Amino acid sequence: MALLSALLVGCSSSPRVPAPVEDRTAMGRSSVSATPPAAEVAKPLPGSENAGKPGYYTVQRGDTLTRISLDNGQSWRDLVRWNNLTNPDLIEVGQVLRVAPPGGAVETSGVVVRPITPSANSSANATPPKAETSAAPATTASDDGLGFVWPANGSLITGFDETKNKGLDIAGKAGDPVSAAADGQVVYAGSGLRGYGNLIILKHDNTFLTAYAHNQALLVKEDQKVRKGQKIAEMGKSDADRVKLHFEVRRQGKPVDPAKYLPAR
């Protein structure tokens, strides 16, 4: 009897071998371990061979294609085309994107972008660019013949600050008209850029973009051509603490003080 008890104790204390784990996750992908193949680990990100080259940008955390295109003075559609992106909403940190036209060309998706001088639609104007500029003179900086006008009639709330406010904030009432500051083409109309609310971006030539933020209604669509002074939106407070128009001028993607390009009031 003692021998039988000893045998039973010995059996109960022997180590238990765990059952084999079967991968039942979708498509055989485990969410726990599964070391990827060496080839996959070493796979370079798209465009990495161009990192650091002029005309290219390395994607940072928090970037969106709209933000990158605005900061580089381009249309997001052109970035999609130049980089063969199948989904513009999927870009990776560390991915390198072309942000300048291939081969130094100045063509973009539907936008007439001549270096300097008249605006995209100036051939349809009866008044030559110089006369137009002299009718609404800028204060200090050259606008290359575009002759910018104020996009709204309200008083100035906040001026330009390179670090705190990259444009001008103009007061108004909900529904007040927002007008194109110069001839151009709509390269963005939407609400996908955080901090800008309902936003319109116009491309005027190979140098200048203008941005119109916080609108309550957008009255133009992407790729649409617009004329200087044309109503393109209604003022609002989308993604803002009050009704206002936030207006930016971008020169080759860099924010510049719009007051230097607008006529004195």
Side-chain angles (χ1 to χ4, degrees):
M1 190 68 177
L3 179 60
L4 179 59
S5 299
L7 289 173
L8 290 174
V9 170
C11 292
S12 63
S13 62
S14 59
R16 299 179 64 184
V17 179
V21 177
E22 182 179 355
D23 184 1
R24 295 181 182 274
T25 55
M27 302 296 291
R29 293 175 296 184
S30 172
S31 60
V32 180
S33 53
T35 303
E40 184 177 329
V41 173
K43 182 180 177 182
L45 288 170
S48 57
E49 70 279 5
N50 296 313
K53 294 181 182 179
Y56 290 88
Y57 173 79
T58 301
V59 176
Q60 308 295 315
R61 188 173 301 279
D63 277 342
T64 64
L65 203 65
T66 303
R67 169 71 69 179
I68 294 170
S69 62
L70 178 62
D71 288 345
N72 288 276
Q74 306 293 350
S75 161
W76 70 269
R77 293 179 184 272
D78 288 329
L79 267 60
V80 168
R81 183 162 55 89
W82 297 339
N83 294 282
N84 298 314
L85 302 179
T86 55
N87 186 346
D89 295 324
L90 291 179
I91 54 176
E92 302 178 74
V93 173
Q95 181 178 353
V96 179
L97 298 174
R98 175 183 284 279
V99 293
V106 295
E107 51 82 27
T108 64
S109 55
V111 184
V112 180
V113 285
R114 299 177 276 197
I116 317 303
T117 64
S119 64
N121 296 320
S122 61
S123 59
N125 296 338
T127 306
K130 287 186 178 179
E132 183 177 282
T133 304
S134 62
T139 53
T140 56
S142 167
D143 61 9
D144 299 330
L146 293 170
F148 285 120
V149 297
W150 284 83
N153 293 324
S155 59
L156 187 63
I157 304 171
T158 311
F160 176 82
D161 184 291
E162 195 167 343
T163 56
K164 297 179 181 179
N165 194 46
K166 299 183 185 300
L168 303 178
D169 291 338
I170 304 171
K173 302 187 300 294
D176 278 356
V178 174
S179 304
D183 293 352
Q185 189 161 4
V186 182
V187 293
Y188 182 79
S191 57
L193 195 57
R194 180 178 296 180
Y196 285 81
N198 294 323
L199 171 69
I200 290 173
I201 301 174
L202 302 181
K203 185 156 190 170
H204 303 287
D205 60 12
N206 196 43
T207 304
F208 287 98
L209 293 177
T210 53
Y212 311 74
H214 305 310
N215 304 289
Q216 74 171 12
L218 306 181
L219 307 180
V220 292
K221 298 178 180 179
E222 289 183 10
D223 296 331
Q224 181 177 337
K225 292 182 180 180
V226 298
R227 302 300 302 272
K228 177 166 58 179
Q230 177 180 336
K231 183 178 177 180
I232 58 174
E234 293 179 355
M235 196 181 293
K237 61 175 184 177
S238 57
D239 212 355
D241 58 354
R242 59 169 294 174
V243 175
K244 63 182 177 181
L245 171 66
H246 177 75
F247 174 66
E248 293 185 9
V249 174
R250 299 267 178 149
R251 194 178 198 278
Q252 295 178 337
K254 181 182 178 181
V256 292
D257 186 355
K260 295 181 178 180
Y261 297 87
L262 294 169
R265 280 180 164 179

